[in-house]
Amino acid sequence: MKKIVVLLLVAFSITGCTIVRIDTDNIDNTINVILSKNNELYNRVGKGYKYYVPRGVNYIDTVEFNDKLYSNGNYYYLYIDAISYFYNKDIDYEEKDDVYYSRKFNLNDKNGYLEIKQVGGKYLINFFYNYARIQTLVNEDEINSVILNSSYILSTVKFNNPVIKLMLDDEFFTNKEENYDIFESKDESNDNFLEYVDDEQTGS
């Protein structure tokens, strides 16, 4: 397959931006370059968090800490794990040999992992970084572009500690666990995610 090298904006500052070349056919390279940069840009603000939605990705709606995004026929389900962030919990993930892609990493002093597994004729992506997770189901030829968009989104997530603390003090998070199910990366919850996607795509 012909390699495509593009110019991407990966770090922004008050004085301007840094432009680097990224081979977007290489998942490792995309992750390493984008997640290793300090990116302060944002255009979405939620309860206790903010992040940047890149060009070509559209914000749909929010339910608690679950944001729904859309790009080029694919829905992105973004979950912000504010509780784990506030209590500085470690991620629990072991790399796997029996899936399309599996990697655990620490970039820019933040932990994360990416797992891609084949489900039927499509690929289920679970991408976690800096206490935020994106999950989506795509065709194989869309994996690289989805990883690129997801890397930008996850690299820009920032938390507002006073707001999160206030919500914890007000028991805002009580009984919210049910909202996390479709974003779980555990194998046993994949069926729930796929059913959710089917409902969204069929309009049922």
Side-chain angles (χ1 to χ4, degrees), residues 81-136:
D81 193 351
I83 296 178
S84 293
Y85 164 79
F86 191 82
Y87 291 108
N88 196 29
K89 293 183 179 179
D90 293 330
I91 64 171
D92 181 18
Y93 181 77
E94 294 184 3
E95 293 184 352
K96 302 176 183 178
D97 297 325
D98 59 347
V99 295
Y100 180 89
Y101 182 96
S102 177
R103 177 186 171 193
K104 184 176 180 180
F105 50 81
N106 182 290
L107 295 168
N108 204 18
D109 295 324
K110 299 171 184 176
N111 292 318
Y113 66 82
L114 172 61
E115 179 179 299
I116 306 172
K117 64 182 299 183
Q118 189 169 8
V119 179
K122 293 197 173 186
Y123 290 80
L124 178 63
I125 296 175
N126 284 292
F127 196 169
F128 179 94
Y129 179 71
N130 188 29
Y131 298 105
R133 178 184 295 115
I134 286 178
Q135 192 173 62
T136 183

Side-chain angles (χ1 to χ4, degrees), residues 3-158:
K3 287 183 176 292
I4 301 174
V5 179
V6 296
L7 290 175
L8 300 171
L9 302 179
V10 297
F12 298 83
S13 65
I14 295 176
T15 59
C17 60
T18 300
I19 299 177
V20 298
R21 291 182 180 274
I22 301 177
D23 174 9
T24 57
D25 285 342
N26 187 305
I27 294 176
D28 286 331
N29 193 47
T30 298
I31 294 172
N32 292 342
V33 172
I34 297 178
L35 298 189
S36 63
K37 302 296 182 180
N38 287 314
N39 193 338
E40 299 298 329
L41 196 66
Y42 69 91
N43 54 16
R44 283 295 311 161
V45 178
K47 294 180 179 179
Y49 65 93
K50 60 184 179 181
Y51 64 92
Y52 178 68
V53 180
R55 182 178 300 178
V57 179
N58 298 306
Y59 167 81
I60 303 298
D61 62 17
T62 298
V63 178
E64 304 302 343
F65 288 90
N66 300 330
D67 285 12
K68 183 179 178 181
L69 310 171
Y70 177 86
S71 177
N72 196 30
N74 298 309
Y75 288 99
Y76 297 60
Y77 299 91
L78 170 66
Y79 166 57
I80 306 295
D81 193 351
I83 296 178
S84 293
Y85 164 79
F86 191 82
Y87 291 108
N88 196 29
K89 293 183 179 179
D90 293 330
I91 64 171
D92 181 18
Y93 181 77
E94 294 184 3
E95 293 184 352
K96 302 176 183 178
D97 297 325
D98 59 347
V99 295
Y100 180 89
Y101 182 96
S102 177
R103 177 186 171 193
K104 184 176 180 180
F105 50 81
N106 182 290
L107 295 168
N108 204 18
D109 295 324
K110 299 171 184 176
N111 292 318
Y113 66 82
L114 172 61
E115 179 179 299
I116 306 172
K117 64 182 299 183
Q118 189 169 8
V119 179
K122 293 197 173 186
Y123 290 80
L124 178 63
I125 296 175
N126 284 292
F127 196 169
F128 179 94
Y129 179 71
N130 188 29
Y131 298 105
R133 178 184 295 115
I134 286 178
Q135 192 173 62
T136 183
L137 190 69
V138 303
N139 294 321
E140 184 174 11
D141 60 356
E142 298 170 324
I143 290 175
N144 291 326
S145 62
V146 170
I147 295 303
L148 179 63
N149 286 332
S150 299
S151 296
Y152 274 119
I153 295 167
L154 295 176
S155 71
T156 58
V157 173
K158 299 293 185 298

